[in-house]
Amino acid sequence: MKILVPVKRVIDYNVKVRVKADGTGVDLANVKMSMNPFDEIAVEEAMRLKEAGKATEVVAISCGVTACQETLRTAMAIGADRSVLVETDVELQPLAVAKLLAAVAKKEAPQLIILGKQAIDDDANQTGQMLAALLGWSQATFASKVVIGDGKASVTREVDGGLETIEITLPAIVTTDLRLNEPRYATLPNIMKAKKKPLEVVKPADLGVDVAPRLATVSVAEPPKRSAGIKVADVAALVDKLKNEAKVIA
Amino acid sequence: MSLLVIAEHDNASLKTATLNAITAAVKIGGEIHVLVAGSGCGAVAEQAAKVAGVAKVRVADAAHFGDQTAENLAALIVANAAGYSHILAPATSNGKNTLPRVAALLDVAQISEISAVVDADTFVRPIYAGNAMATVKSADATKVITVRTTGFDAAAATGGSAVVEALAAGADLGLSRLIGRELTKSARPELGAAKIIVSGGRGMGSGENYHKVLEPLADKLGAAMGASRAAVDAGFVPNDYQVGQTGKIVAPQLYIAIGISGAIQHLAGMKDSKVIVAINKDADAPIFQVADYGLVADLFTAVPELVAAL
């Protein structure tokens, strides 16, 4: 079984986000970029399935600027066998990414596509579901456990009320939640090895996909600031404030 | 112009999140229809018909909608999408699971978790874990939208008298099926709808402490109980307690953060609360930068004192 793992290059999760003064977006100049943390979990899950003998090949794929090659090298350092970059400078929105991934998936014919449930930059939480729709496949989003069976998979999902387990028909899409696994660190020998693994570059036009954005960003602003309040001396003072100043308890 | 709101329900009752999404639809403007897809969901349709502002309730009642699987639900919504300028759902786990699938099938963008409506094409949504607010304008014929429930008040559950009509259910795609659910059973209010939330973090030390220390406080206040990611990852409480960027987004009247340091991902889920109280023994914890009232104290003595004082 082949597994496809889409990965996104995003601002590193430790970086403090700053809105640009002209309100056109977030300042990404000279900012550390990394693989989307949810996608790291996806790569790790694919590797565990390969190590368990459930998968034979893991192919990483990324869509975006040339620098996404670094993200693909990271995926290959974790263990992906090879990778594909769909290279473009156009701002890619989830629908465009899903179309590019669907085009690659039709060529690669994987049985499973595992990707993060959301990217920590646009927080859209759309690409996996859209990809499933475009391919006409089943989907298991927000996964915290994946068990591969014969032509089926059983996936435990984190939902509002707790957990639910569904059975999906392969081929299928799985999107990862935080508690699916803890990704390994790439070792130095594996980082070196990853540099020699195959990385194919294609363009959206080669795949026949129109990637024009559908949403225009009018402006990006700082959220309303919440100022720090006061420190109270003890429990009695806290209760007094809640009752008489904030009036949130009777 | 007509708008379609997808109802969130459990086949027995309409969930409050639907009422928040209806308010977002009211702000956009137009005739509001509600789609209730479920199995044996007649009572839900009746409740939806009473919601103020709803003109029509469309009901698809069939066994294969009972578990809200995304594949069947999305196919139903798409089959009935004609004529709607906007399709909205609350940004619950069901809404987030299903609506992107609808958008892709309609070949339109989805606008995720809007927190405000500017006009019929333009919306505000948080990005980067709420560290920036983007105003986006859609050029698509149909706007597919998930609604951040904390951004909109709930519509009145009574006062409406909508027409109820049955929809053809369509075929079961058979792509996925529910095997089982482990849902947290609790007599407390739901996190998303609670007026007061008592939330615990890593500082609780164990699941046993979490329950022993926080439950009496939650009982006294009639509060829902939440947790930080650290507390969930450590196994103190199940995943559905998690408040934060990737957990639940809440905005109660009062949020009491106990033994929570205040990682940015946690703040993303609760910083719109009206009043925030933090109890933490570390005076430098970032949670104090957003708290209205901070108490630097050992939670194991302060919380029982608080329970006694209330």
Side-chain angles (χ1 to χ4, degrees):
Chain A
M1 181 175 82
K2 187 195 282 187
I3 303 178
L4 208 59
V5 186
V7 294
K8 184 176 186 184
R9 178 177 182 266
V10 298
I11 192 167
D12 186 85
Y13 78 102
N14 280 316
V15 172
K16 187 168 165 40
V17 171
R18 265 194 298 268
V19 174
K20 284 197 237 174
D22 64 2
T24 56
V26 162
D27 195 355
L28 295 178
N30 303 315
V31 159
K32 186 182 178 202
M33 304 293 279
S34 298
M35 187 189 296
N36 178 39
F38 289 97
D39 298 341
E40 262 188 272
I41 295 172
V43 178
E44 175 66 33
E45 192 65 15
M47 289 319 302
R48 290 187 188 189
L49 289 171
K50 190 179 172 197
E51 287 156 3
K54 300 285 185 188
T56 49
E57 189 185 23
V58 175
V59 182
I61 168 169
S62 193
C63 304
V65 295
T66 313
C68 295
Q69 290 196 15
E70 293 163 18
T71 316
L72 290 169
R73 293 288 171 203
T74 305
M76 292 190 287
I78 298 171
D81 297 291
R82 61 185 173 87
S83 54
V84 179
L85 170 63
V86 185
E87 192 183 56
T88 174
D89 291 332
V90 176
E91 178 214 333
L92 293 176
Q93 294 179 350
L95 181 63
V97 174
K99 286 180 178 181
L100 294 171
L101 296 176
V104 173
K106 279 174 189 159
K107 289 208 302 202
E108 295 278 352
Q111 280 295 290
L112 194 60
I113 302 178
I114 311 179
L115 68 167
K117 75 167 182 179
Q118 77 191 65
I120 60 165
D121 50 4
D122 61 13
D123 283 330
N125 193 337
Q126 300 174 10
T127 305
Q129 296 90 312
M130 287 183 154
L131 179 57
L134 296 174
L135 293 169
W137 293 3
S138 54
Q139 68 183 52
T141 53
F142 325 145
S144 65
K145 188 179 175 197
V146 177
V147 180
I148 303 293
D150 190 14
K152 308 250 182 206
S154 126
V155 179
T156 303
R157 308 176 54 231
E158 296 203 355
V159 295
D160 288 341
L163 296 172
E164 77 171 33
T165 302
I166 60 171
E167 185 182 73
I168 51 175
T169 309
L170 301 180
I173 309 288
V174 169
T175 77
T176 61
D177 218 315
L178 290 169
R179 281 168 282 275
L180 180 58
N181 60 51
E182 271 192 47
R184 70 194 70 182
Y185 289 101
T187 60
L188 189 60
N190 285 342
I191 291 170
M192 299 311 288
K193 244 190 269 176
K195 292 185 176 166
K196 298 206 179 76
K197 289 183 178 177
L199 192 161
E200 181 193 353
V201 179
V202 297
K203 303 278 183 186
D206 302 336
L207 300 168
V209 173
D210 173 12
V211 294
R214 303 297 186 85
L215 296 178
T217 300
V218 178
S219 64
V220 175
E222 295 267 354
K225 277 267 177 293
R226 196 175 177 111
S227 46
I230 55 161
K231 295 248 172 76
V232 292
D234 53 27
V235 167
L238 176 62
V239 172
D240 175 62
K241 291 286 184 192
L242 291 176
K243 282 187 173 164
N244 301 317
E245 190 175 88
K247 297 187 168 66
V248 284
I249 57 174
Chain B
M1 195 162 85
S2 312
L3 305 89
L4 185 66
V5 177
I6 314 303
E8 173 86 17
H9 65 90
D10 59 2
N11 295 311
S13 63
L14 187 71
K15 299 288 175 192
T16 324
T18 315
L19 304 178
N20 303 103
I22 288 171
T23 298
V26 169
K27 292 206 167 169
I28 294 167
E31 186 174 300
I32 297 168
H33 298 180
V34 173
L35 174 67
V36 177
S39 175
C41 56
V44 179
E46 280 172 35
Q47 290 166 41
K50 292 195 186 103
V51 177
V54 177
K56 191 191 280 185
V57 176
R58 308 180 76 191
V59 190
D61 197 329
H64 61 276
F65 298 131
D67 300 323
Q68 305 287 314
T69 52
E71 298 86 349
N72 284 331
L73 202 51
L76 175 77
I77 296 166
V78 170
N80 291 284
Y84 292 112
S85 58
H86 298 72
I87 299 174
L88 302 97
T92 54
S93 49
N94 278 336
K96 292 190 277 197
N97 191 31
T98 306
L99 275 225
R101 203 169 169 110
V102 171
L105 292 171
L106 295 173
D107 193 25
V108 301
Q110 183 193 269
I111 308 152
S112 296
E113 303 223 14
I114 64 163
S115 57
V117 172
V118 177
D119 61 40
D121 305 320
T122 315
F123 310 92
V124 179
R125 58 175 303 264
I127 53 175
Y128 292 89
N131 286 303
M133 304 301 289
T135 302
V136 296
K137 188 176 168 75
S138 165
D140 286 317
T142 312
K143 277 74 168 160
V144 175
I145 294 168
T146 60
V147 177
R148 179 165 285 201
T149 52
T150 55
F152 301 89
D153 294 334
T158 55
S161 55
V163 189
V164 179
E165 72 170 33
L167 283 180
D172 180 359
L173 296 174
L175 284 168
S176 66
R177 67 182 183 91
L178 181 74
I179 297 174
R181 285 193 175 126
E182 290 170 52
L183 303 183
T184 303
K185 288 189 182 62
S186 169
R188 300 182 198 285
E190 277 179 57
L191 260 181
K195 288 200 167 54
I196 301 178
I197 295 174
V198 171
S199 206
R202 197 198 304 269
M204 303 310 302
S206 69
E208 196 188 327
N209 287 344
Y210 176 98
H211 292 290
K212 194 177 69 193
V213 176
L214 297 189
E215 273 174 6
L217 181 60
D219 286 343
K220 201 106 187 205
L221 293 169
M225 295 181 74
S228 68
R229 178 186 169 189
V232 177
D233 281 357
F236 299 174
V237 287
N239 63 286
D240 52 292
Y241 282 61
Q242 187 176 324
V243 171
Q245 180 185 17
T246 66
K248 295 208 170 70
I249 310 290
V250 299
Q253 294 289 306
L254 174 60
Y255 188 91
I256 308 181
I258 300 170
I260 292 179
S261 64
I264 202 135
Q265 290 79 6
H266 185 73
L267 302 184
M270 45 64 84
K271 67 188 164 87
D272 292 330
S273 305
K274 184 161 173 274
V275 175
I276 297 174
V277 169
I279 301 175
N280 200 305
K281 66 180 174 195
D282 174 9
D284 296 323
I287 190 76
F288 288 118
Q289 290 165 21
V290 298
D292 298 282
Y293 304 111
L295 177 61
V296 181
D298 181 354
L299 69 92
F300 294 103
T301 50
V303 177
E305 266 185 58
L306 180 57
V307 173
L310 288 169

